[in-house]
Each structure stands twice: as structure tokens, then as C-alpha cells.
């Protein structure tokens, strides 16, 4: 048995040496060039930062520390956190120690709950989640250690401490948001017999007679944890933490990006899309009706949520894991059947339209559908569930970045006048 901190303490010196060696021998080698189109186009495809927790292959999807997602999809989110940080899965005793550690840190101070109660009930759950983390910042060990003059090489340690606190409290905080925002505001205490994700669904308090919702939350919180570091949420957190802003500020920054409809909010949009179809056809449409509906959507200048991806050029393996889960847990649910029909019809429509580079479904095509089918009927809340999970990856990435002393992010921007001059335009 080992603690996460002791495993990291052992691995970090070699990791530092490895990077030092690469920089000394190859620091001047070119890994990417940037075109004018990329500079105007969201820096798509520009290789300009390092992320060792995971990588997204366009052809196969997420690979975590060299392991294809499908091979670790059935692990717990706690195991995922350990894997992202150390490159290994914990043994049973080490996992138990991490879970005990998270349990011991899980209480959210009363003033934070009061702050959540003080905002209007029309506030978006993402705004409440981000605000809740900022309220927790008061306890940051990064901030107090920095103020008392910590050495640069020690920075990863309070980042780990804050991350453990933050990750321990985030399910409690987010379940409280659910109960305050949608139910009677009475909070459910955590159950000491349950683990991190099981406690999250337990504290939300949605009736779950089959246990399927708890199982879905375990899968969901595992699958969404990390997706390398260029995506909006991870990148925002990374940039924020590069200024030695502590994990509360940095994860809050990431959550604010996750709240956008082209990123984390897509699962909410996707569910709405599914519900609007069931509503329009008073149940499941036939394939031709669905095709017409998809064209109507595209012709109105809207995207089909849940399809396409900025990086992936294959079916998202997270979608595949959700599909397998749904096939066992709720195959007869009209929403699941519709998602299945969309999988058969939509790629053909998008191909015919000829714009999307990837016409296959992404994870959002199913995550909201399953969450709704298993009893969480408030689509606006779904991105907050995503946030609980994505915080795992954001924290892992910033701990490692501090361990190897990645400096403050500061790419160079240029003006349109500079571009014109550079390419020789008058
Ligand atoms: N429906 C309709 N049009 C789509 C489309 C979709 N599902 N996916 C891409 N397109 C369009 C784009 O809007 C773009 O159109 P314009 O040229 O008119 O601007 C064109 O196809 C090319 O886009 P792309 O290079 O294939 O995709 P981008 O990298 O620009 O965008 C994404 C990626 C995810 C924003 C886009 O596919 C989309 O809007 N999908 C629907 C929303 C969604 O499912 N988001 C979840 C993403 C999951 C994640 O972040 O992990």
C-alpha cells in the first residue's frame, strides 16, 4: 500500500530529469508550424503545449497514460485520478487509502452552502458550481504556502493538497446545488459506506431502486475526467494555474468554459434535441421522419448536437461505453431507442451536407439521454455533473505541471495588420 503523495514523490524526480534531458538535447527542434488559418481558427491542431495525463487520437479517441479508454472505462473515478497522476492503477489498499482521504475531506463549510442558497433559483447550476469553488478558496493551501515563501520545487505538494480537498468536496457541493436549485433545499448527509461517486448520487437523492443511476454516475464521472489539455475547460484551468492561481481559482476558470454550449453544455443541448423530437412525433419517429427533422435543423442554421468533434475523427469511445451501458440498463427507454436511431441516421445526413469533418457521435449524444432516462430530469444540471468529473483531469494536469515547473503561459498574438504585412498584402 502507498499514498498518492508518496508515489508522486518517488516518480517526480525522474519525470523532471526526463524533461530536463529532452530540453537539453532537443529544445530547439520544431514540432509544429502555424498557418494563418490556424491563427484565425482557434489554434486547431497547433502542437504547442504538453499534457502527459492523456492524449486524444483522432482515429481511436482518448488514451489515458498509454491505455485506450475502453480498457479503463469500468474503473472508478478515484482510480482514474490515480492513473492520470502516476501512470499506474492503484492496488486495492492504496485505492482504499485514497477513498478514505477523500471521505475525510468531503465536508463543505456552512457558509458555502449559505452562499449557494443566497443566489436566485434561476441561476445556472454551472454558475453556482463555479461560485461554490471560489467560496471554498478561502481554505487554499497553495495560497497560504505561497504567502509564506514556498520553494518552486515544492509547489506541486500544496496543489495536490488543494486538489484532494477540492475533489473531495465537489460532489457534496454539486449535490447540494441540485437539492437547493431543484428540490426542497434539504441536504442529504454522505453515507460513510459508499465511495466518492456513489455518495454523489446518494446525496443528490434521486430515487434509484435499481442502482442503475449510481452505476451511471460512476461511469460518467470516470469517462469525462480527462481529454488531454487543449479542450476549453482543461486549457483554461491550465492557463489559470500557470500563474500559480490555486486549484480553486483554476478549476473554477475551467468550469466557466465547460459551461459553453459548444463544449460541456452540449449534453444539455443534446437531450433537449432528443426531447423535441419525441415531442414533435409524439414518440419515436421513423428513419425518414428523423432525416427530415435533421435537415430542418441544419437548414435553420443550427448544428446537430452530439455529433462531430474538434479532434476526433471516429466514434467517441466514451459514446461506445455509454452505449454499452444503456443497452444493458435501459434498452426499452424511448430516449435510448431514439439515440440508437440517431446513430443510424445522422451521420448520413451530415455526410450529405458535407461540412462536418467528423459525422460520428460524441459522448454528449448519450450522456444526457441516459441521465434523463435514469431519473435526473433537469438537463441544465448535466454540465455540473460533467464538471465534477472534469475537475479530476484539471487537477491532475496542474499538479504535474507544477511538479515539472511549467512556466506561466504566454503565447504571442499578432494583429490583422501584422498578418497582412507578413503575407505581403497591401
Ligand atoms: N451539426 C451541424 N454542423 C456541424 C456539426 C454538427 N454536429 N459538426 C460540425 N458541423 C459544421 C461546423 O459548424 C462547421 O460549419 P461552418 O463551416 O459553417 O462553420 C463545419 O461543420 C466544420 O466543422 P468541424 O471542423 O467539423 O468541427 P469544429 O471543430 O468546428 O467544431 C464541434 C466541433 C464539436 C463544435 C462541432 O462538431 C459541433 O458543433 N457539434 C455539435 C455540438 C456538440 O456535439 N458538441 C460536443 C463536443 C464534445 C466535446 O467537446 O468533447
Amino acid at each position: 500500500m502507498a499514498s498518492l503523495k508518496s508515489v508522486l514523490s518517488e516518480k517526480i524526480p525522474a519525470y523532471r530529469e526526463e524533461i530536463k534531458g529532452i530540453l537539453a538535447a532537443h529544445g530547439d527542434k520544431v514540432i509544429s508550424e502555424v498557418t494563418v488559418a490556424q491563427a484565425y481558427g482557434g489554434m486547431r491542431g497547433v502542437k504547442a503545449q504538453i499534457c502527459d495525463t492523456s492524449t486524444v487520437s483522432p482515429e481511436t479517441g482518448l488514451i489515458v497514460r498509454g491505455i485506450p479508454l475502453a480498457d479503463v472505462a469500468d474503473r472508478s473515478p478515484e482510480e482514474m485520478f490515480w492513473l492520470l497522476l502516476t501512470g499506474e492503477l492503484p492496488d486495492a489498499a492504496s485505492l482504499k487509502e485514497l477513498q478514505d482521504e477523500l471521505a475525510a475531506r468531503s465536508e463543505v463549510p456552512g457558509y458555502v452552502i449559505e452562499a449557494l442558497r443566497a443566489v436566485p433559483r434561476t441561476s445556472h447550476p454551472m454558475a453556482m458550481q463555479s461560485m461554490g469553488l471560489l467560496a471554498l478558496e478561502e481554505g487554499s493551501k497553495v495560497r497560504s504556502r505561497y504567502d509564506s515563501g514556498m520553494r518552486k520545487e515544492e509547489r506541486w505538494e500544496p496543489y495536490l493538497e488543494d486538489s484532494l480537498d477540492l475533489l473531495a468536496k465537489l460532489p457534496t457541493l454539486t449535490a447540494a446545488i441540485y437539492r437547493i436549485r431543484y428540490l426542497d433545499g434539504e441536504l442529504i448527509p454522505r453515507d460513510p459506506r459508499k465511495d466518492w461517486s456513489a455518495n454523489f448520487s446518494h446525496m443528490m437523492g434521486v430515487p434509484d431502486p435499481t442502482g442503475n443511476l449510481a452505476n451511471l454516475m460512476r461511469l460518467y464521472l470516470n469517462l469525462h475526467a480527462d481529454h488531454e489539455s487543449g479542450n476549453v475547460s482543461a486549457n483554461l484551468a491550465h492557463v489559470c494555474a500557470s500563474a500559480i492561481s490555486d486549484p480553486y481559482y483554476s478549476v473554477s476558470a475551467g468550469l466557466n468554459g465547460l459551461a459553453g454550449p459548444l463544449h460541456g453544455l452540449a449534453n444539455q443541448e443534446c437531450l433537449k434535441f432528443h426531447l423535441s423530437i419525441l415531442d414533435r412525433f409524439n414518440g419515436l419517429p421513423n428513419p425518414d421522419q428523423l432525416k427530415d427533422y435533421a435537415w430542418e435543423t441544419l437548414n435553420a442554421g443550427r448544428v446537430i448536437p452530439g455529433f462531430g468533434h474538434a479532434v476526433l475523427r471516429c466514434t467517441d469511445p466514451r459514446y461506445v461505453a455509454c452505449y454499452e451501458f444503456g443497452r444493458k440498463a435501459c434498452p426499452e427507454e424511448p430516449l435510448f431507442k431514439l439515440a440508437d436511431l440517431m446513430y443510424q441516421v445522422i451521420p448520413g445526413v451530415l455526410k450529405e451536407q458535407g461540412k462536418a469533418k467528423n459525422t460520428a457521435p460524441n459522448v454528449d449524444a448519450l450522456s444526457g439521454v441516459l441521465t434523463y432516462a435514469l431519473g435526473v430530469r433537469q438537463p441544465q444540471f448535466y454540465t455540473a455533473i460533467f464538471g465534477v468529473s472534469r475537475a479530476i483531469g484539471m487537477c491532475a494536469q496542474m499538479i504535474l505541471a507544477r511538479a515539472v515547473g511549467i512556466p506561466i503561459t504566454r503565447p504571442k498574438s499578432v494583429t490583422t495588420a501584422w498578418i497582412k504585412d507578413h503575407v505581403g498584402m497591401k
Side-chain angles (χ1 to χ4, degrees), residues 103-329:
R105 297 167 185 247
S106 62
E107 200 178 317
V108 171
Y111 76 88
V112 178
I113 302 295
E114 289 318 309
L116 296 176
R117 290 191 198 281
V119 299
R121 287 185 75 178
T122 43
S123 302
H124 196 284
M126 287 308 289
M128 294 171 78
Q129 194 180 44
S130 180
M131 188 194 96
L133 282 192
L134 290 179
L136 281 168
E137 196 278 339
E138 187 271 337
S140 170
K141 292 167 182 90
V142 169
R143 187 153 61 82
S144 54
R145 287 275 300 275
Y146 193 88
D147 287 348
S148 60
M150 106 183 111
R151 293 169 64 83
K152 199 175 169 193
E153 315 81 76
E154 293 169 358
R155 283 181 186 159
W156 70 269
E157 295 175 25
Y159 268 84
L160 174 63
E161 280 298 315
D162 275 3
S163 294
L164 288 170
D165 276 334
L166 183 156
L167 292 174
K169 293 178 197 323
L170 195 51
T172 318
L173 177 87
T174 308
I177 292 169
Y178 184 71
R179 304 216 38 102
I180 291 167
R181 178 71 175 68
Y182 298 109
L183 303 175
D184 58 6
E186 201 158 305
L187 307 191
I188 299 173
R190 65 184 299 286
D191 179 343
R193 292 161 307 172
K194 294 183 194 289
D195 67 14
W196 189 76
S197 69
N199 254 305
F200 177 49
S201 40
H202 163 73
M203 289 185 285
M204 281 171 64
V206 177
D208 183 25
T210 58
N212 277 336
L213 179 63
N215 290 335
L216 175 66
M217 286 301 110
R218 183 182 198 267
L219 177 72
Y220 195 125
L221 298 181
N222 184 27
L223 294 183
H224 290 77
D226 206 44
H227 218 228
E228 65 174 48
S229 74
N231 64 80
V232 168
S233 51
N235 202 33
L236 281 168
H238 172 77
V239 172
C240 189
S242 79
I244 315 302
S245 292
D246 62 53
Y248 298 97
Y249 286 126
S250 305
V251 174
S252 169
L255 292 176
N256 298 341
L258 195 69
L262 294 189
H263 188 28
L265 213 71
N267 55 18
Q268 167 185 328
E269 294 303 307
C270 199
L271 193 257
K272 277 199 223 152
F273 190 72
H274 279 69
L275 291 175
S276 71
I277 295 173
L278 292 182
D279 188 45
R280 161 79 80 91
F281 297 100
N282 208 8
L284 270 183
N286 65 38
D288 285 337
Q289 287 171 321
L290 181 58
K291 198 172 165 188
D292 289 346
Y293 190 85
W295 273 112
E296 212 179 282
T297 307
L298 294 175
N299 291 336
R302 298 203 305 270
V303 297
I304 311 246
F307 287 78
H309 200 273
V311 176
L312 295 178
R313 296 295 175 257
C314 62
T315 300
D316 187 341
R318 300 170 301 173
Y319 174 93
V320 177
C322 285
Y323 182 83
E324 288 306 317
F325 180 91
R327 215 167 46 83
K328 289 184 200 130

